[in-house]
Amino acid sequence: LAKTTQPISMDSYEGQEVNITCSHNNIATNDYITWYQQFPSQGPRFIIQGYKTKVTNEVASLFIPADRKSSTLSLPRVSLSDTAVYYCLVGARGGGFKTIFGAGTRLFVKA
Amino acid sequence: NAGVTQTPKFQVLKTGQSMTLQCAQDMNHEYMSWYRQDPGMGLRLIHYSVGAGITDQGEVPNGYNVSRSTTEDFPLRLLSAAPSQTSVYFCASRPTGAAAEQYFGPGTRLTVT
């Protein structure tokens, strides 16, 4: 399983764009990159997944460079309600039975 | 659909007691898993199942048993509770195949005294 490294915590202000970078140097050819969001006292919630280049949905964008050794989750114009822990996961899509979460990045959005 | 449900929401046990945390899903997902989350930490995989009758160990299986007799249910049994098992327990499910998203239950907060 590819190991991931992400910052332990980040601070931001409302209205700013937040970029959280995840390193995964030993990503395998068939691995996908998936991000989850977890609010206090709740289970994680899927945000976005990608394989290469850029993926965008209504919540976030995911940028993946050509070598795929890192990825960046971009949250546009964050609000206080985006304060949460964000997890980066790497594994085979659908075949990754041992889905392992790391420590995540704790994002704190200030007014 | 109710999604993934967990009972109880809260539980206090004495050291040495046993109990079962219940998890059920109504989405006909083949894959189910149990995680524990200690305060301020990430999630750690305890056990998982890829279908009825099939289970396997995750990162931290010691002290826990699971079984999967139906697609819908995946109970987690604590054999002899210890204070180190004080944690929040999350159950999750997803379809196998090309599905990306895991669906998590609301969690069970367990305290062992």
Side-chain angles (χ1 to χ4, degrees):
Chain A
L1 296 169
K3 179 177 164 55
T4 60
T5 303
Q6 34 179 144
I8 293 174
S9 65
M10 296 179 69
D11 288 344
S12 182
Y13 289 94
E14 280 191 295
Q16 288 187 330
E17 178 184 75
V18 170
N19 295 309
I20 306 174
T21 297
C22 178
S23 297
H24 28 79
N25 290 322
N26 59 341
I27 188 169
T29 302
N30 61 343
D31 283 345
Y32 281 73
I33 300 143
T34 309
W35 286 81
Y36 283 81
Q37 174 191 56
Q38 185 181 26
F39 297 116
S41 300
Q42 294 185 25
R45 180 176 76 112
F46 171 88
I47 303 177
I48 197 166
Q49 185 186 72
Y51 183 80
K52 61 180 179 180
T53 64
K54 177 183 173 183
V55 179
T56 297
N57 62 21
E58 65 278 5
V59 175
S61 294
L62 179 59
F63 298 92
I64 305 168
D67 67 6
R68 304 201 326 123
K69 293 184 184 300
S70 67
S71 58
T72 299
L73 175 74
S74 181
L75 305 171
R77 299 180 60 79
V78 294
S79 64
L80 297 176
S81 62
D82 291 315
T83 293
V85 179
Y86 293 83
Y87 297 95
C88 165
L89 285 73
V90 172
R93 190 178 192 218
F97 299 132
K98 278 195 173 185
T99 304
I100 304 295
F101 284 74
T105 297
R106 193 170 299 270
L107 172 66
F108 185 68
V109 180
K110 296 180 269 193
Chain B
N1 285 353
V4 179
T5 58
Q6 294 183 237
T7 56
K9 285 188 168 51
F10 301 94
Q11 182 70 49
V12 179
L13 289 178
K14 292 190 188 319
T15 297
Q17 287 184 316
S18 62
M19 80 157 295
T20 299
L21 307 185
Q22 301 292 345
C23 174
Q25 52 92 10
D26 60 0
M27 298 172 282
N28 203 32
H29 288 169
E30 297 92 344
Y31 177 81
M32 297 185 74
S33 55
W34 276 102
Y35 292 87
R36 61 175 288 177
Q37 185 171 37
D38 299 335
M41 306 290 284
L43 288 85
R44 290 185 291 171
L45 181 66
I46 305 171
H47 284 286
Y48 64 96
S49 169
V50 300
I54 306 169
T55 64
D56 206 347
Q57 297 181 348
E59 302 172 272
V60 288
N62 292 340
Y64 307 94
N65 271 0
V66 292
S67 59
R68 185 94 180 271
S69 56
T70 66
T71 299
E72 295 78 20
D73 301 297
F74 191 42
L76 178 72
R77 279 182 287 279
L78 279 70
L79 308 172
S80 177
S84 60
Q85 293 179 303
T86 294
S87 191
V88 180
Y89 291 83
F90 291 103
C91 179
S93 76
R94 66 166 170 80
T96 52
E101 179 177 355
Q102 281 206 92
Y103 297 82
F104 282 82
T108 294
R109 188 174 297 273
L110 175 68
T111 301
V112 183
T113 61

